[in-house]
Tab-separated table of all heavy atoms in Angstrom:
chain	number	residue	atom	x	y	z
A	297	ALA	N	0.830	-1.209	0.005
A	297	ALA	CA	0.007	0.001	0.007
A	297	ALA	C	0.865	1.258	-0.003
A	297	ALA	O	0.531	2.249	-0.673
A	297	ALA	CB	-0.931	-0.002	1.208
A	298	ALA	N	1.975	1.228	0.741
A	298	ALA	CA	2.846	2.397	0.796
A	298	ALA	C	3.555	2.628	-0.538
A	298	ALA	O	3.683	3.780	-1.004
A	298	ALA	CB	3.881	2.235	1.893
A	299	TRP	N	3.987	1.542	-1.189
A	299	TRP	CA	4.621	1.700	-2.496
A	299	TRP	C	3.628	2.233	-3.531
A	299	TRP	O	4.001	2.949	-4.461
A	299	TRP	CB	5.205	0.374	-2.967
A	299	TRP	CG	6.547	0.046	-2.447
A	299	TRP	CD1	6.915	-1.039	-1.702
A	299	TRP	CD2	7.767	0.800	-2.634
A	299	TRP	NE1	8.268	-1.014	-1.432
A	299	TRP	CE2	8.807	0.111	-1.978
A	299	TRP	CE3	8.061	1.992	-3.286
A	299	TRP	CZ2	10.146	0.550	-1.977
A	299	TRP	CZ3	9.371	2.450	-3.285
A	299	TRP	CH2	10.402	1.754	-2.637
A	300	LYS	N	2.335	1.903	-3.368
A	300	LYS	CA	1.320	2.377	-4.313
A	300	LYS	C	1.256	3.918	-4.294
A	300	LYS	O	1.047	4.535	-5.338
A	300	LYS	CB	-0.032	1.785	-3.948
A	300	LYS	CG	-1.158	2.110	-4.959
A	300	LYS	CD	-0.915	1.415	-6.294
A	300	LYS	CE	-2.131	1.389	-7.179
A	300	LYS	NZ	-2.572	2.719	-7.617
A	301	LYS	N	1.495	4.505	-3.143
A	301	LYS	CA	1.522	5.974	-3.072
A	301	LYS	C	2.714	6.533	-3.843
A	301	LYS	O	2.617	7.585	-4.491
A	301	LYS	CB	1.603	6.416	-1.604
A	301	LYS	CG	0.370	6.054	-0.795
A	301	LYS	CD	0.541	6.461	0.671
A	301	LYS	CE	-0.674	6.037	1.494
A	301	LYS	NZ	-0.491	6.354	2.936
A	302	VAL	N	3.830	5.825	-3.816
A	302	VAL	CA	5.002	6.238	-4.571
A	302	VAL	C	4.726	6.160	-6.076
A	302	VAL	O	4.953	7.121	-6.821
A	302	VAL	CB	6.228	5.362	-4.210
A	302	VAL	CG1	7.417	5.683	-5.120
A	302	VAL	CG2	6.629	5.543	-2.755
A	303	THR	N	4.251	5.010	-6.514
A	303	THR	CA	4.064	4.831	-7.966
A	303	THR	C	2.972	5.741	-8.501
A	303	THR	O	3.090	6.278	-9.624
A	303	THR	CB	3.738	3.366	-8.294
A	303	THR	OG1	2.519	2.958	-7.632
A	303	THR	CG2	4.879	2.447	-7.874
A	304	ASP	N	1.927	5.972	-7.722
A	304	ASP	CA	0.873	6.882	-8.165
A	304	ASP	C	1.423	8.276	-8.392
A	304	ASP	O	1.090	8.939	-9.410
A	304	ASP	CB	-0.249	6.944	-7.122
A	304	ASP	CG	-1.170	5.739	-7.168
A	304	ASP	OD1	-1.064	4.936	-8.118
A	304	ASP	OD2	-2.007	5.609	-6.243
A	305	GLU	N	2.272	8.756	-7.497
A	305	GLU	CA	2.800	10.104	-7.619
A	305	GLU	C	3.802	10.211	-8.767
A	305	GLU	O	3.818	11.209	-9.504
A	305	GLU	CB	3.461	10.544	-6.296
A	305	GLU	CG	3.816	12.016	-6.247
A	305	GLU	CD	2.636	12.950	-6.405
A	305	GLU	OE1	1.510	12.587	-5.990
A	305	GLU	OE2	2.829	14.067	-6.970
A	306	VAL	N	4.639	9.195	-8.945
A	306	VAL	CA	5.574	9.204	-10.079
A	306	VAL	C	4.801	9.208	-11.395
A	306	VAL	O	5.111	9.992	-12.312
A	306	VAL	CB	6.523	7.986	-10.000
A	306	VAL	CG1	7.302	7.825	-11.315
A	306	VAL	CG2	7.500	8.146	-8.835
A	307	HIS	N	3.751	8.381	-11.496
A	307	HIS	CA	2.979	8.342	-12.721
A	307	HIS	C	2.225	9.646	-12.941
A	307	HIS	O	2.085	10.113	-14.088
A	307	HIS	CB	1.981	7.171	-12.668
A	307	HIS	CG	2.656	5.829	-12.786
A	307	HIS	ND1	2.168	4.699	-12.160
A	307	HIS	CD2	3.771	5.453	-13.446
A	307	HIS	CE1	2.964	3.678	-12.433
A	307	HIS	NE2	3.925	4.110	-13.230
A	308	ALA	N	1.743	10.265	-11.857
A	308	ALA	CA	1.044	11.553	-11.997
A	308	ALA	C	1.943	12.626	-12.590
A	308	ALA	O	1.474	13.576	-13.212
A	308	ALA	CB	0.522	11.996	-10.634
A	309	ARG	N	3.253	12.472	-12.371
A	309	ARG	CA	4.218	13.440	-12.913
A	309	ARG	C	4.808	12.983	-14.244
A	309	ARG	O	5.792	13.539	-14.741
A	309	ARG	CB	5.321	13.686	-11.896
A	309	ARG	CG	4.792	14.270	-10.589
A	309	ARG	CD	5.885	14.847	-9.744
A	309	ARG	NE	5.405	15.191	-8.409
A	309	ARG	CZ	6.087	15.907	-7.533
A	309	ARG	NH1	7.272	16.413	-7.878
A	309	ARG	NH2	5.593	16.166	-6.328
A	310	GLY	N	4.224	11.942	-14.821
A	310	GLY	CA	4.650	11.494	-16.156
A	310	GLY	C	5.819	10.546	-16.166
A	310	GLY	O	6.386	10.265	-17.236
A	311	GLY	N	6.193	10.040	-15.004
A	311	GLY	CA	7.353	9.169	-14.913
A	311	GLY	C	7.021	7.689	-15.042
A	311	GLY	O	5.856	7.275	-15.051
A	312	ARG	N	8.077	6.887	-15.141
A	312	ARG	CA	7.983	5.433	-15.183
A	312	ARG	C	8.883	4.868	-14.083
A	312	ARG	O	9.981	5.383	-13.854
A	312	ARG	CB	8.425	4.895	-16.524
A	312	ARG	CG	7.502	5.342	-17.687
A	312	ARG	CD	6.121	4.735	-17.553
A	312	ARG	NE	5.301	4.944	-18.735
A	312	ARG	CZ	4.086	4.443	-18.873
A	312	ARG	NH1	3.555	3.721	-17.913
A	312	ARG	NH2	3.414	4.656	-19.983
A	313	ILE	N	8.450	3.780	-13.434
A	313	ILE	CA	9.185	3.288	-12.286
A	313	ILE	C	9.128	1.757	-12.180
A	313	ILE	O	8.054	1.175	-12.205
A	313	ILE	CB	8.708	3.978	-10.967
A	313	ILE	CG1	9.547	3.539	-9.777
A	313	ILE	CG2	7.215	3.767	-10.760
A	313	ILE	CD1	9.310	4.380	-8.511
A	314	PHE	N	10.303	1.143	-12.097
A	314	PHE	CA	10.469	-0.264	-11.731
A	314	PHE	C	10.926	-0.309	-10.276
A	314	PHE	O	11.287	0.719	-9.707
A	314	PHE	CB	11.547	-0.930	-12.599
A	314	PHE	CG	11.108	-1.418	-13.942
A	314	PHE	CD1	10.186	-0.726	-14.718
A	314	PHE	CD2	11.659	-2.568	-14.486
A	314	PHE	CE1	9.806	-1.163	-15.969
A	314	PHE	CE2	11.293	-3.044	-15.744
A	314	PHE	CZ	10.356	-2.338	-16.483
A	315	VAL	N	10.913	-1.495	-9.687
A	315	VAL	CA	11.505	-1.656	-8.355
A	315	VAL	C	12.508	-2.817	-8.431
A	315	VAL	O	12.265	-3.812	-9.119
A	315	VAL	CB	10.438	-1.944	-7.256
A	315	VAL	CG1	9.695	-3.251	-7.505
A	315	VAL	CG2	11.057	-1.938	-5.873
A	316	GLN	N	13.628	-2.661	-7.736
A	316	GLN	CA	14.623	-3.719	-7.689
A	316	GLN	C	14.299	-4.670	-6.547
A	316	GLN	O	14.098	-4.238	-5.401
A	316	GLN	CB	16.029	-3.142	-7.507
A	316	GLN	CG	17.123	-4.192	-7.630
A	316	GLN	CD	18.491	-3.641	-7.331
A	316	GLN	OE1	18.758	-3.210	-6.212
A	316	GLN	NE2	19.384	-3.642	-8.311
A	317	LEU	N	14.243	-5.949	-6.836
A	317	LEU	CA	13.930	-6.973	-5.840
A	317	LEU	C	15.212	-7.702	-5.430
A	317	LEU	O	15.980	-8.131	-6.293
A	317	LEU	CB	12.924	-7.975	-6.402
A	317	LEU	CG	11.574	-7.430	-6.832
A	317	LEU	CD1	10.682	-8.566	-7.340
A	317	LEU	CD2	10.883	-6.662	-5.713
A	318	TRP	N	15.438	-7.825	-4.122
A	318	TRP	CA	16.655	-8.470	-3.667
A	318	TRP	C	16.415	-9.419	-2.496
A	318	TRP	O	15.415	-9.336	-1.793
A	318	TRP	CB	17.741	-7.459	-3.292
A	318	TRP	CG	17.561	-6.635	-2.018
A	318	TRP	CD1	16.452	-6.490	-1.260
A	318	TRP	CD2	18.575	-5.827	-1.422
A	318	TRP	NE1	16.718	-5.638	-0.211
A	318	TRP	CE2	18.013	-5.213	-0.275
A	318	TRP	CE3	19.927	-5.545	-1.697
A	318	TRP	CZ2	18.721	-4.347	0.545
A	318	TRP	CZ3	20.619	-4.685	-0.875
A	318	TRP	CH2	20.029	-4.104	0.239
A	319	HIS	N	17.387	-10.292	-2.348
A	319	HIS	CA	17.586	-11.074	-1.136
A	319	HIS	C	19.055	-10.900	-0.804
A	319	HIS	O	19.929	-11.223	-1.613
A	319	HIS	CB	17.257	-12.546	-1.402
A	319	HIS	CG	17.201	-13.391	-0.149
A	319	HIS	ND1	18.257	-13.453	0.752
A	319	HIS	CD2	16.211	-14.205	0.352
A	319	HIS	CE1	17.931	-14.255	1.731
A	319	HIS	NE2	16.708	-14.730	1.532
A	320	THR	N	19.344	-10.350	0.374
A	320	THR	CA	20.739	-9.989	0.681
A	320	THR	C	21.612	-11.194	0.998
A	320	THR	O	22.832	-11.080	0.957
A	320	THR	CB	20.803	-9.014	1.868
A	320	THR	OG1	20.222	-9.629	3.035
A	320	THR	CG2	20.083	-7.715	1.554
A	321	GLY	N	21.018	-12.352	1.304
A	321	GLY	CA	21.813	-13.549	1.539
A	321	GLY	C	22.739	-13.374	2.731
A	321	GLY	O	22.324	-12.983	3.814
A	322	ARG	N	24.020	-13.645	2.503
A	322	ARG	CA	24.986	-13.604	3.612
A	322	ARG	C	25.363	-12.172	4.018
A	322	ARG	O	26.026	-11.986	5.043
A	322	ARG	CB	26.241	-14.394	3.271
A	322	ARG	CG	27.090	-13.813	2.141
A	322	ARG	CD	28.274	-14.716	1.841
A	322	ARG	NE	29.197	-14.079	0.896
A	322	ARG	CZ	30.516	-14.299	0.891
A	322	ARG	NH1	31.057	-15.094	1.787
A	322	ARG	NH2	31.269	-13.701	-0.005
A	323	MET	N	24.936	-11.186	3.240
A	323	MET	CA	25.146	-9.791	3.605
A	323	MET	C	24.072	-9.355	4.603
A	323	MET	O	23.274	-8.469	4.333
A	323	MET	CB	25.141	-8.897	2.360
A	323	MET	CG	26.406	-8.985	1.548
A	323	MET	SD	27.873	-8.541	2.508
A	323	MET	CE	27.422	-6.923	3.088
A	324	SER	N	24.085	-10.039	5.732
A	324	SER	CA	23.030	-9.785	6.738
A	324	SER	C	23.599	-10.100	8.106
A	324	SER	O	24.778	-10.459	8.284
A	324	SER	CB	21.802	-10.630	6.434
A	324	SER	OG	20.735	-10.307	7.311
A	325	HIS	N	22.734	-9.972	9.089
A	325	HIS	CA	23.101	-10.216	10.501
A	325	HIS	C	21.907	-10.857	11.179
A	325	HIS	O	20.746	-10.606	10.792
A	325	HIS	CB	23.460	-8.885	11.172
A	325	HIS	CG	24.083	-9.023	12.514
A	325	HIS	ND1	23.327	-9.215	13.662
A	325	HIS	CD2	25.388	-9.019	12.914
A	325	HIS	CE1	24.147	-9.311	14.705
A	325	HIS	NE2	25.405	-9.201	14.281
A	326	THR	N	22.176	-11.642	12.211
A	326	THR	CA	21.083	-12.292	12.925
A	326	THR	C	20.067	-11.274	13.451
A	326	THR	O	18.881	-11.579	13.559
A	326	THR	CB	21.636	-13.113	14.118
A	326	THR	OG1	22.413	-12.267	14.949
A	326	THR	CG2	22.500	-14.271	13.612
A	327	ALA	N	20.524	-10.024	13.708
A	327	ALA	CA	19.620	-9.006	14.229
A	327	ALA	C	18.487	-8.690	13.263
A	327	ALA	O	17.422	-8.207	13.676
A	327	ALA	CB	20.393	-7.729	14.557
A	328	PHE	N	18.693	-8.940	11.977
A	328	PHE	CA	17.672	-8.633	10.978
A	328	PHE	C	16.852	-9.861	10.588
A	328	PHE	O	15.889	-9.739	9.821
A	328	PHE	CB	18.304	-8.046	9.716
A	328	PHE	CG	19.006	-6.741	9.939
A	328	PHE	CD1	20.373	-6.608	9.717
A	328	PHE	CD2	18.291	-5.620	10.372
A	328	PHE	CE1	21.009	-5.399	9.925
A	328	PHE	CE2	18.927	-4.415	10.569
A	328	PHE	CZ	20.292	-4.303	10.358
A	329	GLN	N	17.215	-11.013	11.084
A	329	GLN	CA	16.577	-12.246	10.635
A	329	GLN	C	15.416	-12.636	11.565
A	329	GLN	O	15.495	-12.467	12.789
A	329	GLN	CB	17.598	-13.377	10.600
A	329	GLN	CG	18.662	-13.196	9.525
A	329	GLN	CD	18.097	-13.265	8.145
A	329	GLN	OE1	17.402	-14.213	7.771
A	329	GLN	NE2	18.357	-12.217	7.374
A	330	PRO	N	14.324	-13.155	11.011
A	330	PRO	CA	13.241	-13.645	11.859
A	330	PRO	C	13.764	-14.656	12.873
A	330	PRO	O	14.487	-15.593	12.523
A	330	PRO	CB	12.295	-14.319	10.835
A	330	PRO	CG	12.577	-13.614	9.545
A	330	PRO	CD	14.042	-13.304	9.567
A	331	GLY	N	13.406	-14.438	14.126
A	331	GLY	CA	13.875	-15.320	15.183
A	331	GLY	C	15.346	-15.229	15.453
A	331	GLY	O	15.915	-16.098	16.144
A	332	GLU	N	16.003	-14.200	14.920
A	332	GLU	CA	17.457	-14.001	15.057
A	332	GLU	C	18.247	-15.237	14.627
A	332	GLU	O	19.297	-15.585	15.169
A	332	GLU	CB	17.829	-13.590	16.474
A	332	GLU	CG	17.211	-12.248	16.866
A	332	GLU	CD	17.844	-11.659	18.135
A	332	GLU	OE1	18.584	-12.387	18.838
A	332	GLU	OE2	17.558	-10.479	18.407
């Protein structure tokens, strides 16, 4: 829902927008992982 506000505003100004999808893999820490 929050990203929809971004894309709506970009489109309202005539822009085009993709989003980059990632999985950081080993570039992470237990502090960010579910259940640590």
Side-chain angles (χ1 to χ4, degrees):
W299 276 121
K300 186 68 165 64
K301 295 177 182 177
V302 173
T303 60
D304 282 351
E305 190 60 32
V306 169
H307 290 147
R309 299 195 190 192
R312 297 293 190 176
I313 184 168
F314 276 37
V315 64
Q316 188 185 63
L317 300 181
W318 72 347
H319 190 306
T320 60
R322 68 183 187 148
M323 283 303 305
S324 186
H325 190 278
T326 56
F328 296 118
Q329 293 294 306
E332 297 194 348

